[in-house]
Amino acid sequence: MPDTASRPGMLVQEADRFSAEGDWTLPHYARLSAVAAKARAAEEIALDRLGALDTSGASVLVDLLGADRVQEIDRWAPALPPERRSMLKAVAKAREASPPPTEPRALPILGALAELGRRVEALGRQQLQLAGFIGLTLTSLLANLPRPWRWRITALVAHIQQTGLNAIPIVALLTFLVGAVVAFLGATVLRDFGATIYTVNLVTYSFLREFGVLLAAILLAGRTASAFTAQIGAMKANEELDALRAQGLSPMELLVLPRVLAMMISLPILTLVGMLSGMLGGALVCALALDISTTQFLAILQREIPLRHFLLGIGKAPVFAFIIAVIGCLEGFKAKASAQSVGEHTTSSVVQSIFMVILLDALAAMFFMEMGW
């Protein structure tokens, strides 16, 4: 047998067969695995010029020859040393005894739990970012309040018009229709008890405490928070934020504070409009369907509805406005320089704003109930 001690293992094609030559050992395993594929269809592989051999090389040969053919190696390769034939048989037997491992089948419930965990973790990170941005906004606001020469009055007025005045028609129409629906439902239920007169209390309580501020906040979350995110996200995509910082200007002072203050001024106004429009819709239904005149409606409102309900409802408006504006601005800053990212964060700002508004309203309702207000 020729000396092949220094030669790496290889397959050499000779007519209609292959010949295994050189060292089939661990240092050459990666190369042997790569070149062995071309001998898959070979009818015969000669082993008479095989150099050094260990179990790693033997495993490649077993894959090429097949376990059944290796078990008959004494018949077709009698010139191969007995110890090598024994090694090949042992490797073939071990490969048959241990089939290739299969990936464990994952239970669907485990995948669902893993996805739930990822979503909860993402929500936690999101809330931490929101808390940090709220702190940054409050710090910037407190730093600018004692410096009137740094106030952006023009931007503030423009955003009040955009977020408040331009939204009055849609808020008034929506709350008017919801007020009419609440009155219809209340009359339908209370008629069975002969208590249709309490429809007035139902409408006024619901709009003074909840519906007035909640509907206005949800409308602004969809209408204005998305606009804030899209505007700031587009500025970031166009590198306008970098240009502001390069000029020594603060994006918080120029972009965030005017929007936050405008929302905190606009939402209480829209809340008042929503309260009045909702009660007007309820009064119209009471007058047309329940024979409760507008004069009687106003008399019940003045006599039986305490002022604290109005104060509780209007007091939630600045808090909701602050949260909506901060979320809209934060998502704009988080957007990347692509149209897809701006769209994704715009959607995220609307969803987050509505979620936070409803969550805070529920917490406020439980707190007021425990306090007896």
Side-chain angles (χ1 to χ4, degrees):
M1 181 181 298
D3 183 13
T4 58
S6 60
R7 295 172 56 194
M10 65 182 69
L11 285 173
V12 178
Q13 188 170 6
E14 298 177 348
D16 61 344
R17 71 173 190 170
F18 287 88
S19 175
E21 301 181 7
D23 295 342
W24 287 60
T25 54
L26 182 59
H28 309 300
Y29 181 79
R31 181 176 180 276
L32 291 172
S33 299
V35 302
K38 67 180 182 180
R40 294 291 182 186
E43 296 182 359
E44 186 178 349
I45 297 178
L47 305 178
D48 53 342
R49 283 183 282 183
L50 188 63
L53 180 68
D54 62 10
T55 54
S56 59
S59 66
V60 177
L61 285 174
V62 169
D63 289 338
L64 288 171
L65 296 169
D68 294 337
R69 184 166 172 76
V70 170
Q71 295 301 333
E72 300 175 355
I73 195 169
D74 294 334
R75 177 180 58 81
W76 58 269
L80 195 66
E83 62 273 10
R84 294 192 174 181
R85 282 181 280 163
S86 299
M87 179 188 295
L88 288 170
K89 289 180 182 179
V91 170
K93 186 176 181 180
R95 295 292 292 272
E96 286 183 337
S98 58
T102 57
E103 294 185 1
R105 185 178 178 182
L107 296 176
I109 186 64
L110 296 180
L113 290 175
E115 180 63 22
L116 177 62
R118 285 190 291 269
R119 291 183 178 272
V120 171
E121 182 184 7
L123 179 62
R125 289 196 302 266
Q126 192 177 74
Q127 297 308 308
L128 286 176
Q129 289 179 338
L130 178 60
F133 194 75
I134 288 175
L136 181 60
T137 303
L138 292 175
T139 301
S140 301
L141 181 61
L142 293 176
N144 279 270
L145 281 179
R147 301 176 175 87
W149 60 90
R150 301 184 65 174
W151 296 354
R152 306 289 172 172
I153 302 298
T154 303
L156 177 63
V157 174
H159 288 303
I160 290 175
Q161 179 181 2
Q162 176 191 359
T163 61
L165 299 181
N166 294 345
I168 286 178
I170 184 65
V171 171
L173 176 61
L174 179 65
T175 51
F176 177 84
L177 296 176
V178 173
V181 170
V182 171
F184 269 121
L185 293 176
T188 301
V189 174
L190 294 174
R191 184 180 287 115
D192 297 336
F193 303 95
T196 53
I197 190 65
Y198 290 105
T199 303
V200 179
N201 301 66
L202 174 64
V203 172
T204 52
Y205 269 105
S206 60
F207 274 89
L208 289 177
R209 290 183 68 103
E210 299 294 338
F211 284 164
V213 62
L214 193 60
L215 292 175
I218 290 175
L219 275 175
L220 281 192
R223 181 182 181 276
T224 306
S226 59
F228 288 174
T229 303
Q231 291 165 1
I232 297 178
M235 294 180 68
K236 185 174 182 180
N238 295 331
E239 299 182 355
E240 295 178 43
L241 298 182
D242 295 333
L244 290 176
R245 295 188 181 99
Q247 298 175 44
L249 301 175
S250 171
M252 293 293 299
E253 182 180 337
L254 289 175
L255 303 177
V256 177
L257 293 185
R259 287 173 167 81
V260 171
L261 293 175
M263 282 284 286
M264 294 180 68
I265 295 172
S266 299
L267 188 54
I269 298 173
L270 294 176
T271 299
L272 179 60
V273 171
M275 291 175 179
L276 296 177
S277 298
M279 290 188 292
L280 179 60
L284 182 61
V285 171
C286 290
L288 297 178
L290 304 178
D291 295 327
I292 300 175
S293 65
T294 304
T295 303
Q296 188 177 4
F297 188 98
L298 294 176
I300 295 174
L301 173 63
Q302 181 180 5
R303 183 179 64 250
E304 299 184 10
I305 308 301
L307 180 62
R308 72 171 183 274
H309 299 304
F310 168 77
L311 297 177
L312 291 177
I314 205 73
K316 292 185 286 187
V319 179
F320 291 171
F322 180 81
I323 292 296
I324 293 170
V326 166
I327 291 175
C329 295
L330 173 60
E331 290 300 313
F333 283 114
K334 288 165 62 177
K336 297 180 175 61
S338 66
Q340 179 180 357
S341 178
V342 173
E344 291 173 351
H345 285 281
T346 300
T347 303
S348 177
S349 71
V350 175
V351 174
Q352 286 187 61
S353 300
I354 295 176
F355 173 78
M356 290 300 297
V357 163
I358 295 177
L359 176 63
L360 291 176
D361 186 70
L363 294 176
M366 290 188 290
F367 175 75
F368 295 152
M369 181 180 65
E370 291 296 328
M371 297 298 295
W373 293 349

